[in-house]
Amino acid sequence: MPEHEISPFLHFAEHRLQEVALVFMAVAYTLRIRWLLGFKPAGDRQPPTGLSNATKGALHSLANIAMPWAMESYRRNPLLYAQFVVFHLAVAVAILQSFLIPYAPGVMANAAIVRLFQVMLGAAVAIGIYRIVRRLADPYMRALSSPDDYFSLTLLTVWFIFAVLAAPNSTTAGEGALVTYFLMTAFFLIYVPFSKISHYLYYPFTRYYLG
């Protein structure tokens, strides 16, 4: 969709606001990584067995995310792992879409791509709702959940809904869906470094240390 067909506020939300939020996120993550690098992995506390290899251990631990058979919860319930994969792929799709709409609108003019994005994001909406209900209904999940867990999961689910609506990149029915999607995207860029959603930043560090 040509830029001259959108309002100044939507143009601001798609461009300048996202750019400022991205810079803020980059600075926050740079400071966080600098802090994380101050920690050093401890030495192995058990006597050497002749089979230990720190490098292989670290690599195996890092690859654990792609080995559901190595985790009992996923091994016992493969559907949980499928949900995990779809939900996180949808996050990547929603982020990618936030760049394609303003900077490569021609890609989002392809009906097949729009439909693929909407199917993936729609599946994530269903998973998000299921996860919210599960946290509320399961006494063990409820005991382990913090307010940030509920807030982040609910906000992600709503974000996915607006990502589905924004995918066609059309203002025929108004700019509400696009504006809301980009405002929420900017909010996430600023909020994520201070929430549990930033667990992906810690993953390589914790896995290296554990491995």
Side-chain angles (χ1 to χ4, degrees):
M1 182 172 55
E3 288 190 3
H4 66 268
E5 293 183 5
I6 66 177
S7 69
F9 184 72
L10 178 55
H11 183 273
F12 165 77
E14 289 184 353
H15 293 270
R16 189 67 61 219
L17 181 61
Q18 302 304 310
E19 292 160 5
V20 171
L22 279 167
V23 170
F24 179 89
M25 185 181 194
V27 171
Y29 274 168
T30 299
L31 294 175
R32 188 65 60 85
I33 291 173
R34 182 181 177 184
W35 173 72
L36 287 170
L37 290 175
F39 295 92
K40 303 299 179 185
D44 196 342
R45 294 187 177 184
Q46 76 174 35
T49 62
L51 300 175
S52 61
N53 184 304
T55 301
K56 288 184 178 179
L59 290 175
H60 183 275
S61 185
L62 283 167
N64 192 61
I65 193 172
M67 299 186 297
W69 57 86
M71 293 174 274
E72 183 180 2
S73 58
Y74 290 152
R75 189 167 60 246
R76 291 165 64 94
N77 190 348
L79 185 60
L80 284 178
Y81 185 73
Q83 292 177 17
F84 166 82
V85 172
V86 172
F87 196 79
H88 285 78
L89 283 177
V91 171
V93 167
I95 294 172
L96 176 61
Q97 179 175 285
S98 73
F99 286 95
L100 291 177
I101 288 177
Y103 302 114
V107 175
M108 300 308 294
N110 185 310
I113 292 178
V114 169
R115 184 64 62 190
L116 176 63
F117 277 28
Q118 288 181 318
V119 168
M120 180 68 72
L121 294 164
V125 171
I127 293 171
I129 294 172
Y130 167 77
R131 288 186 166 191
I132 293 170
V133 172
R134 180 168 171 254
R135 281 188 181 275
L136 292 170
D138 189 322
Y140 298 104
M141 291 294 296
R142 195 164 60 244
L144 293 170
S145 299
S146 69
D148 183 47
D149 289 319
Y150 292 108
F151 179 73
S152 298
L153 185 53
T154 301
L155 206 62
L156 271 172
T157 304
V158 175
W159 182 52
F160 286 141
I161 292 172
F162 280 99
V164 171
L165 298 174
N169 192 21
S170 171
T171 57
T172 303
E175 297 181 344
L178 281 163
V179 168
T180 304
Y181 166 63
F182 279 102
L183 289 179
M184 292 190 72
T185 302
F187 175 79
F188 268 120
L189 291 173
I190 295 172
Y191 170 67
V192 164
F194 308 101
S195 76
K196 282 191 174 183
I197 301 176
S198 63
H199 61 269
Y200 65 85
L201 177 70
Y202 298 117
Y203 184 84
F205 294 94
T206 55
R207 287 287 138 188
Y208 173 75
Y209 294 149
L210 289 172

mmCIF file of all heavy atoms in Angstrom, residues 1-2 93 95-118 166-170:
data_model
loop_
_atom_site.group_PDB
_atom_site.id
_atom_site.type_symbol
_atom_site.label_atom_id
_atom_site.label_comp_id
_atom_site.label_asym_id
_atom_site.label_seq_id
_atom_site.Cartn_x
_atom_site.Cartn_y
_atom_site.Cartn_z
ATOM 1 N N MET A 1 0.856 -1.187 0.000
ATOM 2 C CA MET A 1 0.000 0.000 0.000
ATOM 3 C C MET A 1 0.896 1.242 0.000
ATOM 4 O O MET A 1 1.761 1.394 0.856
ATOM 5 C CB MET A 1 -0.882 0.013 1.238
ATOM 6 C CG MET A 1 -1.830 1.167 1.317
ATOM 7 S SD MET A 1 -2.974 0.956 2.704
ATOM 8 C CE MET A 1 -1.823 0.751 4.066
ATOM 9 N N PRO A 2 0.788 2.112 -0.962
ATOM 10 C CA PRO A 2 1.617 3.308 -1.030
ATOM 11 C C PRO A 2 1.507 4.143 0.230
ATOM 12 O O PRO A 2 0.443 4.270 0.823
ATOM 13 C CB PRO A 2 1.044 4.056 -2.247
ATOM 14 C CG PRO A 2 0.339 3.003 -3.047
ATOM 15 C CD PRO A 2 -0.190 2.035 -2.064
ATOM 16 N N VAL A 93 6.905 -14.524 13.140
ATOM 17 C CA VAL A 93 6.096 -14.064 12.010
ATOM 18 C C VAL A 93 5.540 -12.667 12.287
ATOM 19 O O VAL A 93 5.569 -11.784 11.413
ATOM 20 C CB VAL A 93 4.941 -15.048 11.726
ATOM 21 C CG1 VAL A 93 3.919 -14.428 10.770
ATOM 22 C CG2 VAL A 93 5.489 -16.333 11.133
ATOM 23 N N ILE A 95 6.753 -10.403 14.272
ATOM 24 C CA ILE A 95 7.857 -9.440 14.229
ATOM 25 C C ILE A 95 8.255 -9.154 12.782
ATOM 26 O O ILE A 95 8.454 -7.995 12.385
ATOM 27 C CB ILE A 95 9.065 -9.963 15.021
ATOM 28 C CG1 ILE A 95 8.727 -10.041 16.517
ATOM 29 C CG2 ILE A 95 10.288 -9.081 14.801
ATOM 30 C CD1 ILE A 95 9.782 -10.735 17.353
ATOM 31 N N LEU A 96 8.388 -10.229 11.985
ATOM 32 C CA LEU A 96 8.737 -10.065 10.568
ATOM 33 C C LEU A 96 7.712 -9.194 9.860
ATOM 34 O O LEU A 96 8.066 -8.307 9.065
ATOM 35 C CB LEU A 96 8.818 -11.443 9.907
ATOM 36 C CG LEU A 96 9.079 -11.455 8.397
ATOM 37 C CD1 LEU A 96 10.420 -10.808 8.068
ATOM 38 C CD2 LEU A 96 9.031 -12.881 7.856
ATOM 39 N N GLN A 97 6.447 -9.418 10.159
ATOM 40 C CA GLN A 97 5.384 -8.642 9.535
ATOM 41 C C GLN A 97 5.508 -7.163 9.851
ATOM 42 O O GLN A 97 5.210 -6.310 9.004
ATOM 43 C CB GLN A 97 4.028 -9.177 10.014
ATOM 44 C CG GLN A 97 2.829 -8.448 9.455
ATOM 45 C CD GLN A 97 1.518 -9.095 9.871
ATOM 46 O OE1 GLN A 97 1.148 -10.146 9.356
ATOM 47 N NE2 GLN A 97 0.817 -8.480 10.818
ATOM 48 N N SER A 98 5.970 -6.832 11.063
ATOM 49 C CA SER A 98 6.099 -5.425 11.447
ATOM 50 C C SER A 98 7.175 -4.707 10.630
ATOM 51 O O SER A 98 7.188 -3.474 10.566
ATOM 52 C CB SER A 98 6.409 -5.312 12.945
ATOM 53 O OG SER A 98 7.737 -5.714 13.234
ATOM 54 N N PHE A 99 8.081 -5.477 10.013
ATOM 55 C CA PHE A 99 9.089 -4.882 9.120
ATOM 56 C C PHE A 99 8.608 -4.902 7.668
ATOM 57 O O PHE A 99 8.873 -3.957 6.914
ATOM 58 C CB PHE A 99 10.412 -5.651 9.226
ATOM 59 C CG PHE A 99 11.173 -5.394 10.496
ATOM 60 C CD1 PHE A 99 11.033 -6.244 11.580
ATOM 61 C CD2 PHE A 99 12.018 -4.299 10.608
ATOM 62 C CE1 PHE A 99 11.721 -6.014 12.760
ATOM 63 C CE2 PHE A 99 12.710 -4.052 11.786
ATOM 64 C CZ PHE A 99 12.565 -4.909 12.862
ATOM 65 N N LEU A 100 7.920 -5.964 7.279
ATOM 66 C CA LEU A 100 7.477 -6.093 5.890
ATOM 67 C C LEU A 100 6.432 -5.051 5.517
ATOM 68 O O LEU A 100 6.468 -4.485 4.416
ATOM 69 C CB LEU A 100 6.908 -7.497 5.656
ATOM 70 C CG LEU A 100 7.905 -8.655 5.697
ATOM 71 C CD1 LEU A 100 7.176 -9.988 5.525
ATOM 72 C CD2 LEU A 100 8.975 -8.495 4.628
ATOM 73 N N ILE A 101 5.475 -4.790 6.418
ATOM 74 C CA ILE A 101 4.402 -3.845 6.088
ATOM 75 C C ILE A 101 4.940 -2.455 5.753
ATOM 76 O O ILE A 101 4.583 -1.892 4.713
ATOM 77 C CB ILE A 101 3.359 -3.781 7.221
ATOM 78 C CG1 ILE A 101 2.532 -5.077 7.237
ATOM 79 C CG2 ILE A 101 2.429 -2.574 7.050
ATOM 80 C CD1 ILE A 101 1.522 -5.158 8.372
ATOM 81 N N PRO A 102 5.820 -1.859 6.581
ATOM 82 C CA PRO A 102 6.292 -0.517 6.232
ATOM 83 C C PRO A 102 7.433 -0.486 5.214
ATOM 84 O O PRO A 102 7.537 0.459 4.439
ATOM 85 C CB PRO A 102 6.752 0.048 7.579
ATOM 86 C CG PRO A 102 7.139 -1.146 8.366
ATOM 87 C CD PRO A 102 6.235 -2.250 7.924
ATOM 88 N N TYR A 103 8.297 -1.506 5.203
ATOM 89 C CA TYR A 103 9.507 -1.438 4.393
ATOM 90 C C TYR A 103 9.476 -2.324 3.148
ATOM 91 O O TYR A 103 10.280 -2.131 2.237
ATOM 92 C CB TYR A 103 10.730 -1.792 5.247
ATOM 93 C CG TYR A 103 10.879 -0.883 6.442
ATOM 94 C CD1 TYR A 103 10.730 -1.367 7.732
ATOM 95 C CD2 TYR A 103 11.141 0.477 6.282
ATOM 96 C CE1 TYR A 103 10.845 -0.533 8.841
ATOM 97 C CE2 TYR A 103 11.260 1.329 7.368
ATOM 98 C CZ TYR A 103 11.112 0.810 8.650
ATOM 99 O OH TYR A 103 11.219 1.637 9.744
ATOM 100 N N ALA A 104 8.591 -3.313 3.109
ATOM 101 C CA ALA A 104 8.460 -4.167 1.919
ATOM 102 C C ALA A 104 6.985 -4.507 1.711
ATOM 103 O O ALA A 104 6.600 -5.675 1.739
ATOM 104 C CB ALA A 104 9.295 -5.440 2.091
ATOM 105 N N PRO A 105 6.145 -3.488 1.526
ATOM 106 C CA PRO A 105 4.694 -3.726 1.401
ATOM 107 C C PRO A 105 4.327 -4.634 0.246
ATOM 108 O O PRO A 105 3.271 -5.271 0.259
ATOM 109 C CB PRO A 105 4.119 -2.319 1.232
ATOM 110 C CG PRO A 105 5.259 -1.495 0.725
ATOM 111 C CD PRO A 105 6.483 -2.063 1.368
ATOM 112 N N GLY A 106 5.195 -4.704 -0.756
ATOM 113 C CA GLY A 106 4.920 -5.566 -1.900
ATOM 114 C C GLY A 106 4.810 -7.031 -1.504
ATOM 115 O O GLY A 106 4.029 -7.788 -2.101
ATOM 116 N N VAL A 107 5.584 -7.440 -0.500
ATOM 117 C CA VAL A 107 5.536 -8.825 -0.029
ATOM 118 C C VAL A 107 4.158 -9.126 0.554
ATOM 119 O O VAL A 107 3.586 -10.188 0.315
ATOM 120 C CB VAL A 107 6.630 -9.081 1.032
ATOM 121 C CG1 VAL A 107 6.500 -10.489 1.605
ATOM 122 C CG2 VAL A 107 8.015 -8.867 0.434
ATOM 123 N N MET A 108 3.638 -8.167 1.327
ATOM 124 C CA MET A 108 2.328 -8.369 1.968
ATOM 125 C C MET A 108 1.164 -8.159 0.994
ATOM 126 O O MET A 108 0.005 -8.291 1.370
ATOM 127 C CB MET A 108 2.175 -7.425 3.165
ATOM 128 C CG MET A 108 3.233 -7.631 4.244
ATOM 129 S SD MET A 108 3.403 -9.341 4.797
ATOM 130 C CE MET A 108 1.820 -9.612 5.596
ATOM 131 N N ALA A 109 1.490 -7.829 -0.242
ATOM 132 C CA ALA A 109 0.446 -7.726 -1.266
ATOM 133 C C ALA A 109 0.160 -9.100 -1.867
ATOM 134 O O ALA A 109 -0.803 -9.268 -2.614
ATOM 135 C CB ALA A 109 0.877 -6.759 -2.367
ATOM 136 N N ASN A 110 0.996 -10.071 -1.514
ATOM 137 C CA ASN A 110 0.816 -11.442 -1.992
ATOM 138 C C ASN A 110 -0.218 -12.141 -1.112
ATOM 139 O O ASN A 110 0.004 -12.345 0.082
ATOM 140 C CB ASN A 110 2.165 -12.177 -1.939
ATOM 141 C CG ASN A 110 2.093 -13.565 -2.543
ATOM 142 O OD1 ASN A 110 1.218 -14.351 -2.215
ATOM 143 N ND2 ASN A 110 3.035 -13.865 -3.425
ATOM 144 N N ALA A 111 -1.336 -12.504 -1.692
ATOM 145 C CA ALA A 111 -2.446 -13.091 -0.932
ATOM 146 C C ALA A 111 -2.042 -14.394 -0.242
ATOM 147 O O ALA A 111 -2.496 -14.681 0.871
ATOM 148 C CB ALA A 111 -3.640 -13.346 -1.851
ATOM 149 N N ALA A 112 -1.178 -15.193 -0.875
ATOM 150 C CA ALA A 112 -0.751 -16.469 -0.289
ATOM 151 C C ALA A 112 0.071 -16.241 0.975
ATOM 152 O O ALA A 112 -0.092 -16.954 1.977
ATOM 153 C CB ALA A 112 0.055 -17.268 -1.307
ATOM 154 N N ILE A 113 0.952 -15.236 0.934
ATOM 155 C CA ILE A 113 1.776 -14.927 2.107
ATOM 156 C C ILE A 113 0.897 -14.400 3.241
ATOM 157 O O ILE A 113 1.067 -14.785 4.399
ATOM 158 C CB ILE A 113 2.872 -13.913 1.736
ATOM 159 C CG1 ILE A 113 3.887 -14.563 0.802
ATOM 160 C CG2 ILE A 113 3.558 -13.373 2.993
ATOM 161 C CD1 ILE A 113 4.993 -13.637 0.339
ATOM 162 N N VAL A 114 -0.028 -13.519 2.906
ATOM 163 C CA VAL A 114 -0.946 -12.979 3.917
ATOM 164 C C VAL A 114 -1.731 -14.107 4.573
ATOM 165 O O VAL A 114 -1.862 -14.169 5.798
ATOM 166 C CB VAL A 114 -1.920 -11.956 3.296
ATOM 167 C CG1 VAL A 114 -3.028 -11.602 4.278
ATOM 168 C CG2 VAL A 114 -1.168 -10.701 2.873
ATOM 169 N N ARG A 115 -2.234 -15.040 3.762
ATOM 170 C CA ARG A 115 -3.014 -16.153 4.305
ATOM 171 C C ARG A 115 -2.144 -17.048 5.191
ATOM 172 O O ARG A 115 -2.592 -17.486 6.262
ATOM 173 C CB ARG A 115 -3.611 -16.976 3.160
ATOM 174 C CG ARG A 115 -4.513 -18.108 3.621
ATOM 175 C CD ARG A 115 -5.733 -17.585 4.344
ATOM 176 N NE ARG A 115 -6.556 -16.756 3.468
ATOM 177 C CZ ARG A 115 -7.572 -16.034 3.888
ATOM 178 N NH1 ARG A 115 -7.895 -16.030 5.173
ATOM 179 N NH2 ARG A 115 -8.270 -15.294 3.044
ATOM 180 N N LEU A 116 -0.910 -17.305 4.765
ATOM 181 C CA LEU A 116 0.008 -18.130 5.554
ATOM 182 C C LEU A 116 0.281 -17.476 6.903
ATOM 183 O O LEU A 116 0.244 -18.140 7.955
ATOM 184 C CB LEU A 116 1.323 -18.321 4.796
ATOM 185 C CG LEU A 116 2.428 -19.093 5.536
ATOM 186 C CD1 LEU A 116 1.987 -20.522 5.820
ATOM 187 C CD2 LEU A 116 3.720 -19.083 4.712
ATOM 188 N N PHE A 117 0.544 -16.164 6.889
ATOM 189 C CA PHE A 117 0.787 -15.431 8.128
ATOM 190 C C PHE A 117 -0.442 -15.502 9.034
ATOM 191 O O PHE A 117 -0.325 -15.716 10.241
ATOM 192 C CB PHE A 117 1.126 -13.972 7.819
ATOM 193 C CG PHE A 117 2.566 -13.739 7.457
ATOM 194 C CD1 PHE A 117 3.328 -14.727 6.865
ATOM 195 C CD2 PHE A 117 3.169 -12.512 7.703
ATOM 196 C CE1 PHE A 117 4.655 -14.510 6.522
ATOM 197 C CE2 PHE A 117 4.487 -12.284 7.377
ATOM 198 C CZ PHE A 117 5.245 -13.282 6.781
ATOM 199 N N GLN A 118 -1.621 -15.300 8.451
ATOM 200 C CA GLN A 118 -2.842 -15.293 9.250
ATOM 201 C C GLN A 118 -3.131 -16.657 9.868
ATOM 202 O O GLN A 118 -3.600 -16.738 11.000
ATOM 203 C CB GLN A 118 -4.028 -14.828 8.395
ATOM 204 C CG GLN A 118 -3.988 -13.338 8.065
ATOM 205 C CD GLN A 118 -5.177 -12.897 7.246
ATOM 206 O OE1 GLN A 118 -5.593 -13.588 6.310
ATOM 207 N NE2 GLN A 118 -5.738 -11.745 7.576
ATOM 208 N N ALA A 166 -4.031 -7.044 10.813
ATOM 209 C CA ALA A 166 -3.162 -6.097 10.106
ATOM 210 C C ALA A 166 -2.482 -6.712 8.897
ATOM 211 O O ALA A 166 -1.994 -5.987 8.018
ATOM 212 C CB ALA A 166 -2.098 -5.551 11.071
ATOM 213 N N ALA A 167 -2.440 -8.037 8.817
ATOM 214 C CA ALA A 167 -1.690 -8.724 7.759
ATOM 215 C C ALA A 167 -2.044 -8.276 6.340
ATOM 216 O O ALA A 167 -1.139 -8.105 5.510
ATOM 217 C CB ALA A 167 -1.867 -10.242 7.902
ATOM 218 N N PRO A 168 -3.323 -8.054 6.004
ATOM 219 C CA PRO A 168 -3.635 -7.611 4.633
ATOM 220 C C PRO A 168 -3.084 -6.228 4.302
ATOM 221 O O PRO A 168 -3.096 -5.813 3.134
ATOM 222 C CB PRO A 168 -5.169 -7.618 4.605
ATOM 223 C CG PRO A 168 -5.568 -8.553 5.693
ATOM 224 C CD PRO A 168 -4.544 -8.351 6.772
ATOM 225 N N ASN A 169 -2.650 -5.471 5.323
ATOM 226 C CA ASN A 169 -2.092 -4.128 5.127
ATOM 227 C C ASN A 169 -3.053 -3.246 4.334
ATOM 228 O O ASN A 169 -2.675 -2.593 3.362
ATOM 229 C CB ASN A 169 -0.737 -4.214 4.410
ATOM 230 C CG ASN A 169 0.022 -2.899 4.447
ATOM 231 O OD1 ASN A 169 -0.232 -2.051 5.298
ATOM 232 N ND2 ASN A 169 0.953 -2.723 3.529
ATOM 233 N N SER A 170 -4.301 -3.229 4.774
ATOM 234 C CA SER A 170 -5.333 -2.474 4.078
ATOM 235 C C SER A 170 -6.016 -1.503 5.038
ATOM 236 O O SER A 170 -6.217 -1.819 6.210
ATOM 237 C CB SER A 170 -6.371 -3.438 3.490
ATOM 238 O OG SER A 170 -7.484 -2.742 2.987
#
